């Protein structure tokens, strides 16, 4: 843990800040965002680094939702945080985009692997490193035509 400057961070505040930063992209795509974060839930994290991870995941979700051109498809993004009984925190970020193929899903955390036309493939591998430095973990699940879900777990 000596690599980062950690302090107790109110998660609701952090997410409201991130959503404000990405508001233009969210509104341009007409995405409805549902935040489900308990009042006063906090985690001991390096705010800047974890913000970077969360922004990367949300930007990926926005880009995935961009690919949907069906007018009747309501684009949604859910962000949920909850405390774990052992004192840790779990954050889930989920979209209802096109999803990621199973083969690609196995590789998304590998440096320079990307499923995007314009992408470096560095975002998620860096996110995984940041989570490891925090003694945490990042996982992804996806279903084609249903969406993708990322979970960040802090111990």
């Amino acid at each position: 843990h000596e690599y980062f400057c950690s302090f107790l961070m109110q998660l609701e505040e952090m997410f409201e800040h991130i959503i404000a930063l990405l508001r233009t992209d969210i509104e341009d795509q007409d995405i409805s965002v549902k935040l489900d974060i308990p009042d006063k839930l906090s985690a001991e994290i390096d705010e800047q680094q974890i913000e970077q991870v969360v922004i990367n995941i949300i930007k990926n979700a926005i880009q995935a939702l961009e690919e949907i051109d069906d007018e009747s498809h309501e684009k949604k993004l859910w962000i949920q945080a909850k405390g774990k009984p052992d004192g840790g925190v779990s954050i889930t970020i989920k979209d209802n985009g096109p999803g990621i193929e199973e083969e690609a899903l196995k590789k998304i955390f590998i440096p320079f692997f990307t499923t995007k036309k314009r992408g470096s493939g560095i975002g998620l591998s860096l996110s995984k490193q940041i989570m490891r430095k925090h003694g945490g973990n990042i996982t992804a699940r996806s279903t084609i035509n249903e969406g993708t879900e990322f979970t960040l777990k802090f111990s």
Side-chain angles (χ1 to χ4, degrees):
H1 292 295
E2 68 274 2
Y3 301 113
F4 61 90
C5 162
S6 75
F7 57 96
L8 218 53
M9 179 67 211
Q10 295 283 18
L11 295 178
E12 189 176 27
E13 222 173 89
M14 181 181 84
F15 278 105
E16 282 171 358
H17 176 241
I18 291 168
I19 296 301
L21 281 175
L22 299 174
R23 184 160 315 283
T24 308
D25 292 340
I26 289 167
E27 287 174 356
D28 285 353
Q29 287 300 314
D30 199 23
I31 298 168
S32 73
V33 178
K34 183 176 187 289
L35 278 179
D36 180 10
I37 297 157
D39 283 350
K40 310 275 183 280
L41 181 64
S42 57
E44 198 169 310
I45 56 175
D46 179 314
E47 181 186 3
Q48 285 182 312
Q49 288 192 359
I50 297 306
E51 261 192 21
Q52 191 182 344
V53 170
V54 171
I55 286 170
N56 181 48
I57 292 169
I58 293 175
K59 276 186 165 178
N60 286 348
I62 292 168
Q63 288 173 349
L65 289 165
E66 250 177 73
E67 292 176 27
I68 296 170
D69 49 15
D70 174 1
E71 290 297 313
S72 65
H73 187 100
E74 190 187 344
K75 299 175 182 182
K76 295 180 181 176
L77 185 61
W78 297 270
I79 299 166
Q80 181 185 44
K82 54 185 180 225
K84 298 190 303 193
D86 61 8
V89 171
S90 151
I91 297 168
T92 303
I93 301 165
K94 184 178 175 185
D95 67 63
N96 67 337
I100 302 168
E101 297 281 344
E102 197 177 329
E103 276 309 301
L105 195 62
K106 292 175 189 169
K107 301 176 187 166
I108 59 171
F109 295 111
I110 296 171
F112 310 114
F113 176 82
T114 182
T115 59
K116 298 184 212 160
K117 291 171 191 76
R118 304 180 317 274
S120 66
I122 209 69
L124 288 174
S125 66
L126 188 61
S127 296
K128 192 158 192 101
Q129 282 181 345
I130 290 170
M131 289 302 294
R132 278 199 187 125
K133 282 182 182 175
H134 277 74
N137 185 359
I138 180 171
T139 56
R141 292 187 328 181
S142 191
T143 306
I144 296 300
N145 298 323
E146 284 183 28
T148 303
E149 176 180 300
F150 282 88
T151 304
L152 309 177
K153 288 187 178 152
F154 300 91
S155 37

PDB file of all heavy atoms in Angstrom, residues 121-153:
ATOM      1  N   GLY A 121      -5.820   0.057 -25.668  1.00  0.00           N
ATOM      2  CA  GLY A 121      -5.793  -1.198 -24.930  1.00  0.00           C
ATOM      3  C   GLY A 121      -5.027  -1.076 -23.628  1.00  0.00           C
ATOM      4  O   GLY A 121      -4.625  -2.068 -23.035  1.00  0.00           O
ATOM      5  N   ILE A 122      -4.821   0.160 -23.187  1.00  0.00           N
ATOM      6  CA  ILE A 122      -4.047   0.341 -21.965  1.00  0.00           C
ATOM      7  C   ILE A 122      -4.944   0.612 -20.755  1.00  0.00           C
ATOM      8  O   ILE A 122      -4.576   0.337 -19.622  1.00  0.00           O
ATOM      9  CB  ILE A 122      -2.970   1.452 -22.166  1.00  0.00           C
ATOM     10  CG1 ILE A 122      -1.763   1.197 -21.288  1.00  0.00           C
ATOM     11  CG2 ILE A 122      -3.530   2.827 -21.959  1.00  0.00           C
ATOM     12  CD1 ILE A 122      -0.948   0.018 -21.686  1.00  0.00           C
ATOM     13  N   GLY A 123      -6.142   1.124 -20.983  1.00  0.00           N
ATOM     14  CA  GLY A 123      -7.033   1.537 -19.893  1.00  0.00           C
ATOM     15  C   GLY A 123      -7.338   0.469 -18.867  1.00  0.00           C
ATOM     16  O   GLY A 123      -7.161   0.672 -17.668  1.00  0.00           O
ATOM     17  N   LEU A 124      -7.809  -0.696 -19.322  1.00  0.00           N
ATOM     18  CA  LEU A 124      -8.215  -1.731 -18.363  1.00  0.00           C
ATOM     19  C   LEU A 124      -7.027  -2.433 -17.717  1.00  0.00           C
ATOM     20  O   LEU A 124      -7.109  -2.838 -16.562  1.00  0.00           O
ATOM     21  CB  LEU A 124      -9.151  -2.744 -19.024  1.00  0.00           C
ATOM     22  CG  LEU A 124     -10.559  -2.211 -19.309  1.00  0.00           C
ATOM     23  CD1 LEU A 124     -11.366  -3.226 -20.092  1.00  0.00           C
ATOM     24  CD2 LEU A 124     -11.285  -1.835 -18.024  1.00  0.00           C
ATOM     25  N   SER A 125      -5.907  -2.576 -18.438  1.00  0.00           N
ATOM     26  CA  SER A 125      -4.740  -3.211 -17.808  1.00  0.00           C
ATOM     27  C   SER A 125      -4.185  -2.283 -16.727  1.00  0.00           C
ATOM     28  O   SER A 125      -3.795  -2.733 -15.655  1.00  0.00           O
ATOM     29  CB  SER A 125      -3.665  -3.573 -18.833  1.00  0.00           C
ATOM     30  OG  SER A 125      -3.109  -2.431 -19.424  1.00  0.00           O
ATOM     31  N   LEU A 126      -4.207  -0.975 -16.982  1.00  0.00           N
ATOM     32  CA  LEU A 126      -3.776  -0.002 -15.981  1.00  0.00           C
ATOM     33  C   LEU A 126      -4.741  -0.022 -14.792  1.00  0.00           C
ATOM     34  O   LEU A 126      -4.330   0.026 -13.634  1.00  0.00           O
ATOM     35  CB  LEU A 126      -3.720   1.398 -16.607  1.00  0.00           C
ATOM     36  CG  LEU A 126      -3.111   2.502 -15.754  1.00  0.00           C
ATOM     37  CD1 LEU A 126      -1.664   2.180 -15.414  1.00  0.00           C
ATOM     38  CD2 LEU A 126      -3.192   3.840 -16.481  1.00  0.00           C
ATOM     39  N   SER A 127      -6.035  -0.130 -15.087  1.00  0.00           N
ATOM     40  CA  SER A 127      -7.047  -0.194 -14.026  1.00  0.00           C
ATOM     41  C   SER A 127      -6.793  -1.386 -13.115  1.00  0.00           C
ATOM     42  O   SER A 127      -6.905  -1.287 -11.891  1.00  0.00           O
ATOM     43  CB  SER A 127      -8.452  -0.294 -14.638  1.00  0.00           C
ATOM     44  OG  SER A 127      -8.748   0.866 -15.378  1.00  0.00           O
ATOM     45  N   LYS A 128      -6.460  -2.525 -13.718  1.00  0.00           N
ATOM     46  CA  LYS A 128      -6.190  -3.734 -12.931  1.00  0.00           C
ATOM     47  C   LYS A 128      -4.973  -3.519 -12.016  1.00  0.00           C
ATOM     48  O   LYS A 128      -4.985  -3.905 -10.850  1.00  0.00           O
ATOM     49  CB  LYS A 128      -5.974  -4.934 -13.850  1.00  0.00           C
ATOM     50  CG  LYS A 128      -5.974  -6.247 -13.079  1.00  0.00           C
ATOM     51  CD  LYS A 128      -6.298  -7.418 -13.972  1.00  0.00           C
ATOM     52  CE  LYS A 128      -6.586  -8.664 -13.177  1.00  0.00           C
ATOM     53  NZ  LYS A 128      -7.994  -8.969 -13.047  1.00  0.00           N
ATOM     54  N   GLN A 129      -3.928  -2.869 -12.562  1.00  0.00           N
ATOM     55  CA  GLN A 129      -2.725  -2.588 -11.754  1.00  0.00           C
ATOM     56  C   GLN A 129      -3.064  -1.674 -10.571  1.00  0.00           C
ATOM     57  O   GLN A 129      -2.608  -1.911  -9.457  1.00  0.00           O
ATOM     58  CB  GLN A 129      -1.659  -1.890 -12.607  1.00  0.00           C
ATOM     59  CG  GLN A 129      -0.902  -2.815 -13.506  1.00  0.00           C
ATOM     60  CD  GLN A 129       0.157  -2.061 -14.315  1.00  0.00           C
ATOM     61  OE1 GLN A 129       0.138  -0.840 -14.401  1.00  0.00           O
ATOM     62  NE2 GLN A 129       1.061  -2.799 -14.902  1.00  0.00           N
ATOM     63  N   ILE A 130      -3.845  -0.635 -10.835  1.00  0.00           N
ATOM     64  CA  ILE A 130      -4.233   0.299  -9.777  1.00  0.00           C
ATOM     65  C   ILE A 130      -5.020  -0.434  -8.693  1.00  0.00           C
ATOM     66  O   ILE A 130      -4.774  -0.256  -7.500  1.00  0.00           O
ATOM     67  CB  ILE A 130      -5.050   1.487 -10.356  1.00  0.00           C
ATOM     68  CG1 ILE A 130      -4.139   2.387 -11.200  1.00  0.00           C
ATOM     69  CG2 ILE A 130      -5.716   2.289  -9.243  1.00  0.00           C
ATOM     70  CD1 ILE A 130      -4.871   3.449 -12.018  1.00  0.00           C
ATOM     71  N   MET A 131      -5.952  -1.293  -9.108  1.00  0.00           N
ATOM     72  CA  MET A 131      -6.747  -2.042  -8.129  1.00  0.00           C
ATOM     73  C   MET A 131      -5.859  -2.969  -7.301  1.00  0.00           C
ATOM     74  O   MET A 131      -6.039  -3.096  -6.093  1.00  0.00           O
ATOM     75  CB  MET A 131      -7.854  -2.835  -8.834  1.00  0.00           C
ATOM     76  CG  MET A 131      -8.973  -1.976  -9.383  1.00  0.00           C
ATOM     77  SD  MET A 131      -9.786  -0.966  -8.128  1.00  0.00           S
ATOM     78  CE  MET A 131     -10.549  -2.241  -7.123  1.00  0.00           C
ATOM     79  N   ARG A 132      -4.879  -3.602  -7.943  1.00  0.00           N
ATOM     80  CA  ARG A 132      -3.960  -4.489  -7.206  1.00  0.00           C
ATOM     81  C   ARG A 132      -3.172  -3.706  -6.167  1.00  0.00           C
ATOM     82  O   ARG A 132      -2.964  -4.174  -5.054  1.00  0.00           O
ATOM     83  CB  ARG A 132      -2.991  -5.170  -8.173  1.00  0.00           C
ATOM     84  CG  ARG A 132      -3.609  -6.376  -8.830  1.00  0.00           C
ATOM     85  CD  ARG A 132      -2.516  -7.283  -9.399  1.00  0.00           C
ATOM     86  NE  ARG A 132      -3.105  -8.345 -10.177  1.00  0.00           N
ATOM     87  CZ  ARG A 132      -2.795  -8.605 -11.434  1.00  0.00           C
ATOM     88  NH1 ARG A 132      -1.891  -7.886 -12.073  1.00  0.00           N
ATOM     89  NH2 ARG A 132      -3.366  -9.593 -12.080  1.00  0.00           N
ATOM     90  N   LYS A 133      -2.706  -2.518  -6.541  1.00  0.00           N
ATOM     91  CA  LYS A 133      -1.950  -1.676  -5.603  1.00  0.00           C
ATOM     92  C   LYS A 133      -2.807  -1.303  -4.402  1.00  0.00           C
ATOM     93  O   LYS A 133      -2.288  -1.041  -3.324  1.00  0.00           O
ATOM     94  CB  LYS A 133      -1.465  -0.394  -6.288  1.00  0.00           C
ATOM     95  CG  LYS A 133      -0.265  -0.592  -7.172  1.00  0.00           C
ATOM     96  CD  LYS A 133       0.174   0.736  -7.762  1.00  0.00           C
ATOM     97  CE  LYS A 133       1.353   0.552  -8.689  1.00  0.00           C
ATOM     98  NZ  LYS A 133       1.720   1.806  -9.348  1.00  0.00           N
ATOM     99  N   HIS A 134      -4.112  -1.269  -4.604  1.00  0.00           N
ATOM    100  CA  HIS A 134      -5.032  -0.956  -3.515  1.00  0.00           C
ATOM    101  C   HIS A 134      -5.414  -2.214  -2.742  1.00  0.00           C
ATOM    102  O   HIS A 134      -6.304  -2.168  -1.903  1.00  0.00           O
ATOM    103  CB  HIS A 134      -6.310  -0.300  -4.062  1.00  0.00           C
ATOM    104  CG  HIS A 134      -6.178   1.158  -4.305  1.00  0.00           C
ATOM    105  ND1 HIS A 134      -5.475   1.674  -5.356  1.00  0.00           N
ATOM    106  CD2 HIS A 134      -6.652   2.216  -3.610  1.00  0.00           C
ATOM    107  CE1 HIS A 134      -5.535   2.992  -5.304  1.00  0.00           C
ATOM    108  NE2 HIS A 134      -6.235   3.344  -4.260  1.00  0.00           N
ATOM    109  N   GLY A 135      -4.784  -3.343  -3.066  1.00  0.00           N
ATOM    110  CA  GLY A 135      -5.138  -4.592  -2.420  1.00  0.00           C
ATOM    111  C   GLY A 135      -6.522  -5.036  -2.841  1.00  0.00           C
ATOM    112  O   GLY A 135      -7.188  -5.785  -2.147  1.00  0.00           O
ATOM    113  N   GLY A 136      -6.954  -4.542  -3.998  1.00  0.00           N
ATOM    114  CA  GLY A 136      -8.296  -4.851  -4.480  1.00  0.00           C
ATOM    115  C   GLY A 136      -8.275  -5.689  -5.730  1.00  0.00           C
ATOM    116  O   GLY A 136      -7.261  -6.284  -6.091  1.00  0.00           O
ATOM    117  N   ASN A 137      -9.425  -5.708  -6.396  1.00  0.00           N
ATOM    118  CA  ASN A 137      -9.607  -6.602  -7.525  1.00  0.00           C
ATOM    119  C   ASN A 137     -10.627  -5.989  -8.481  1.00  0.00           C
ATOM    120  O   ASN A 137     -11.526  -5.275  -8.047  1.00  0.00           O
ATOM    121  CB  ASN A 137     -10.118  -7.919  -6.937  1.00  0.00           C
ATOM    122  CG  ASN A 137     -10.250  -9.007  -7.968  1.00  0.00           C
ATOM    123  OD1 ASN A 137      -9.983  -8.806  -9.145  1.00  0.00           O
ATOM    124  ND2 ASN A 137     -10.678 -10.171  -7.526  1.00  0.00           N
ATOM    125  N   ILE A 138     -10.491  -6.272  -9.771  1.00  0.00           N
ATOM    126  CA  ILE A 138     -11.473  -5.827 -10.765  1.00  0.00           C
ATOM    127  C   ILE A 138     -11.845  -7.031 -11.625  1.00  0.00           C
ATOM    128  O   ILE A 138     -10.976  -7.784 -12.044  1.00  0.00           O
ATOM    129  CB  ILE A 138     -10.922  -4.661 -11.622  1.00  0.00           C
ATOM    130  CG1 ILE A 138     -11.945  -4.199 -12.663  1.00  0.00           C
ATOM    131  CG2 ILE A 138      -9.612  -5.030 -12.302  1.00  0.00           C
ATOM    132  CD1 ILE A 138     -11.551  -2.925 -13.401  1.00  0.00           C
ATOM    133  N   THR A 139     -13.139  -7.224 -11.822  1.00  0.00           N
ATOM    134  CA  THR A 139     -13.599  -8.334 -12.653  1.00  0.00           C
ATOM    135  C   THR A 139     -14.649  -7.817 -13.636  1.00  0.00           C
ATOM    136  O   THR A 139     -15.226  -6.751 -13.425  1.00  0.00           O
ATOM    137  CB  THR A 139     -14.225  -9.457 -11.797  1.00  0.00           C
ATOM    138  OG1 THR A 139     -15.272  -8.894 -11.008  1.00  0.00           O
ATOM    139  CG2 THR A 139     -13.204 -10.121 -10.894  1.00  0.00           C
ATOM    140  N   ALA A 140     -14.862  -8.594 -14.691  1.00  0.00           N
ATOM    141  CA  ALA A 140     -15.863  -8.203 -15.689  1.00  0.00           C
ATOM    142  C   ALA A 140     -16.696  -9.406 -16.078  1.00  0.00           C
ATOM    143  O   ALA A 140     -16.192 -10.529 -16.148  1.00  0.00           O
ATOM    144  CB  ALA A 140     -15.162  -7.644 -16.925  1.00  0.00           C
ATOM    145  N   ARG A 141     -17.989  -9.131 -16.322  1.00  0.00           N
ATOM    146  CA  ARG A 141     -18.904 -10.149 -16.848  1.00  0.00           C
ATOM    147  C   ARG A 141     -19.646  -9.480 -17.984  1.00  0.00           C
ATOM    148  O   ARG A 141     -19.915  -8.277 -17.941  1.00  0.00           O
ATOM    149  CB  ARG A 141     -19.928 -10.559 -15.797  1.00  0.00           C
ATOM    150  CG  ARG A 141     -19.361 -11.312 -14.635  1.00  0.00           C
ATOM    151  CD  ARG A 141     -20.412 -11.849 -13.720  1.00  0.00           C
ATOM    152  NE  ARG A 141     -21.605 -10.989 -13.650  1.00  0.00           N
ATOM    153  CZ  ARG A 141     -22.650 -11.262 -12.892  1.00  0.00           C
ATOM    154  NH1 ARG A 141     -22.666 -12.342 -12.159  1.00  0.00           N
ATOM    155  NH2 ARG A 141     -23.695 -10.455 -12.848  1.00  0.00           N
ATOM    156  N   SER A 142     -19.989 -10.265 -19.007  1.00  0.00           N
ATOM    157  CA  SER A 142     -20.701  -9.664 -20.121  1.00  0.00           C
ATOM    158  C   SER A 142     -21.584 -10.692 -20.805  1.00  0.00           C
ATOM    159  O   SER A 142     -21.247 -11.868 -20.865  1.00  0.00           O
ATOM    160  CB  SER A 142     -19.694  -9.097 -21.126  1.00  0.00           C
ATOM    161  OG  SER A 142     -20.357  -8.296 -22.069  1.00  0.00           O
ATOM    162  N   THR A 143     -22.708 -10.214 -21.314  1.00  0.00           N
ATOM    163  CA  THR A 143     -23.620 -11.050 -22.081  1.00  0.00           C
ATOM    164  C   THR A 143     -23.944 -10.299 -23.366  1.00  0.00           C
ATOM    165  O   THR A 143     -24.350  -9.133 -23.304  1.00  0.00           O
ATOM    166  CB  THR A 143     -24.922 -11.322 -21.285  1.00  0.00           C
ATOM    167  OG1 THR A 143     -24.564 -11.864 -20.014  1.00  0.00           O
ATOM    168  CG2 THR A 143     -25.822 -12.293 -22.020  1.00  0.00           C
ATOM    169  N   ILE A 144     -23.735 -10.949 -24.490  1.00  0.00           N
ATOM    170  CA  ILE A 144     -24.013 -10.316 -25.780  1.00  0.00           C
ATOM    171  C   ILE A 144     -25.474  -9.865 -25.829  1.00  0.00           C
ATOM    172  O   ILE A 144     -26.374 -10.600 -25.424  1.00  0.00           O
ATOM    173  CB  ILE A 144     -23.682 -11.292 -26.949  1.00  0.00           C
ATOM    174  CG1 ILE A 144     -22.176 -11.602 -26.962  1.00  0.00           C
ATOM    175  CG2 ILE A 144     -24.127 -10.726 -28.293  1.00  0.00           C
ATOM    176  CD1 ILE A 144     -21.246 -10.423 -27.135  1.00  0.00           C
ATOM    177  N   ASN A 145     -25.678  -8.644 -26.305  1.00  0.00           N
ATOM    178  CA  ASN A 145     -26.992  -7.997 -26.436  1.00  0.00           C
ATOM    179  C   ASN A 145     -27.676  -7.674 -25.102  1.00  0.00           C
ATOM    180  O   ASN A 145     -28.825  -7.267 -25.091  1.00  0.00           O
ATOM    181  CB  ASN A 145     -27.945  -8.797 -27.327  1.00  0.00           C
ATOM    182  CG  ASN A 145     -27.404  -8.926 -28.735  1.00  0.00           C
ATOM    183  OD1 ASN A 145     -26.800  -7.989 -29.264  1.00  0.00           O
ATOM    184  ND2 ASN A 145     -27.589 -10.078 -29.341  1.00  0.00           N
ATOM    185  N   GLU A 146     -26.958  -7.877 -23.988  1.00  0.00           N
ATOM    186  CA  GLU A 146     -27.534  -7.523 -22.688  1.00  0.00           C
ATOM    187  C   GLU A 146     -26.698  -6.493 -21.954  1.00  0.00           C
ATOM    188  O   GLU A 146     -27.225  -5.675 -21.217  1.00  0.00           O
ATOM    189  CB  GLU A 146     -27.702  -8.763 -21.807  1.00  0.00           C
ATOM    190  CG  GLU A 146     -28.889  -9.607 -22.227  1.00  0.00           C
ATOM    191  CD  GLU A 146     -29.105 -10.798 -21.325  1.00  0.00           C
ATOM    192  OE1 GLU A 146     -28.736 -10.736 -20.128  1.00  0.00           O
ATOM    193  OE2 GLU A 146     -29.630 -11.809 -21.816  1.00  0.00           O
ATOM    194  N   GLY A 147     -25.372  -6.560 -22.130  1.00  0.00           N
ATOM    195  CA  GLY A 147     -24.520  -5.561 -21.491  1.00  0.00           C
ATOM    196  C   GLY A 147     -23.333  -6.133 -20.779  1.00  0.00           C
ATOM    197  O   GLY A 147     -23.056  -7.331 -20.815  1.00  0.00           O
ATOM    198  N   THR A 148     -22.601  -5.233 -20.128  1.00  0.00           N
ATOM    199  CA  THR A 148     -21.359  -5.573 -19.460  1.00  0.00           C
ATOM    200  C   THR A 148     -21.374  -4.995 -18.052  1.00  0.00           C
ATOM    201  O   THR A 148     -21.925  -3.932 -17.819  1.00  0.00           O
ATOM    202  CB  THR A 148     -20.166  -5.002 -20.260  1.00  0.00           C
ATOM    203  OG1 THR A 148     -20.240  -5.524 -21.602  1.00  0.00           O
ATOM    204  CG2 THR A 148     -18.839  -5.367 -19.653  1.00  0.00           C
ATOM    205  N   GLU A 149     -20.748  -5.735 -17.141  1.00  0.00           N
ATOM    206  CA  GLU A 149     -20.710  -5.336 -15.739  1.00  0.00           C
ATOM    207  C   GLU A 149     -19.282  -5.468 -15.217  1.00  0.00           C
ATOM    208  O   GLU A 149     -18.663  -6.519 -15.358  1.00  0.00           O
ATOM    209  CB  GLU A 149     -21.646  -6.255 -14.958  1.00  0.00           C
ATOM    210  CG  GLU A 149     -21.646  -6.043 -13.470  1.00  0.00           C
ATOM    211  CD  GLU A 149     -22.608  -7.007 -12.773  1.00  0.00           C
ATOM    212  OE1 GLU A 149     -23.824  -6.960 -13.073  1.00  0.00           O
ATOM    213  OE2 GLU A 149     -22.134  -7.808 -11.957  1.00  0.00           O
ATOM    214  N   PHE A 150     -18.775  -4.378 -14.651  1.00  0.00           N
ATOM    215  CA  PHE A 150     -17.454  -4.395 -14.004  1.00  0.00           C
ATOM    216  C   PHE A 150     -17.670  -4.281 -12.511  1.00  0.00           C
ATOM    217  O   PHE A 150     -18.501  -3.505 -12.051  1.00  0.00           O
ATOM    218  CB  PHE A 150     -16.599  -3.227 -14.482  1.00  0.00           C
ATOM    219  CG  PHE A 150     -15.990  -3.452 -15.839  1.00  0.00           C
ATOM    220  CD1 PHE A 150     -16.679  -3.112 -16.979  1.00  0.00           C
ATOM    221  CD2 PHE A 150     -14.741  -4.035 -15.969  1.00  0.00           C
ATOM    222  CE1 PHE A 150     -16.141  -3.345 -18.239  1.00  0.00           C
ATOM    223  CE2 PHE A 150     -14.185  -4.266 -17.217  1.00  0.00           C
ATOM    224  CZ  PHE A 150     -14.887  -3.926 -18.359  1.00  0.00           C
ATOM    225  N   THR A 151     -16.898  -5.056 -11.744  1.00  0.00           N
ATOM    226  CA  THR A 151     -16.975  -4.989 -10.292  1.00  0.00           C
ATOM    227  C   THR A 151     -15.598  -4.680  -9.726  1.00  0.00           C
ATOM    228  O   THR A 151     -14.610  -5.352 -10.082  1.00  0.00           O
ATOM    229  CB  THR A 151     -17.512  -6.313  -9.703  1.00  0.00           C
ATOM    230  OG1 THR A 151     -18.771  -6.592 -10.301  1.00  0.00           O
ATOM    231  CG2 THR A 151     -17.680  -6.212  -8.194  1.00  0.00           C
ATOM    232  N   LEU A 152     -15.536  -3.665  -8.887  1.00  0.00           N
ATOM    233  CA  LEU A 152     -14.299  -3.298  -8.182  1.00  0.00           C
ATOM    234  C   LEU A 152     -14.498  -3.690  -6.729  1.00  0.00           C
ATOM    235  O   LEU A 152     -15.492  -3.317  -6.113  1.00  0.00           O
ATOM    236  CB  LEU A 152     -14.064  -1.780  -8.250  1.00  0.00           C
ATOM    237  CG  LEU A 152     -14.124  -1.097  -9.600  1.00  0.00           C
ATOM    238  CD1 LEU A 152     -13.929   0.402  -9.452  1.00  0.00           C
ATOM    239  CD2 LEU A 152     -13.097  -1.657 -10.541  1.00  0.00           C
ATOM    240  N   LYS A 153     -13.550  -4.449  -6.203  1.00  0.00           N
ATOM    241  CA  LYS A 153     -13.654  -4.857  -4.795  1.00  0.00           C
ATOM    242  C   LYS A 153     -12.431  -4.367  -4.031  1.00  0.00           C
ATOM    243  O   LYS A 153     -11.306  -4.583  -4.453  1.00  0.00           O
ATOM    244  CB  LYS A 153     -13.745  -6.394  -4.688  1.00  0.00           C
ATOM    245  CG  LYS A 153     -15.079  -6.896  -5.162  1.00  0.00           C
ATOM    246  CD  LYS A 153     -15.258  -8.378  -4.921  1.00  0.00           C
ATOM    247  CE  LYS A 153     -16.638  -8.787  -5.369  1.00  0.00           C
ATOM    248  NZ  LYS A 153     -16.730 -10.153  -5.799  1.00  0.00           N
TER     249      LYS A 153
END
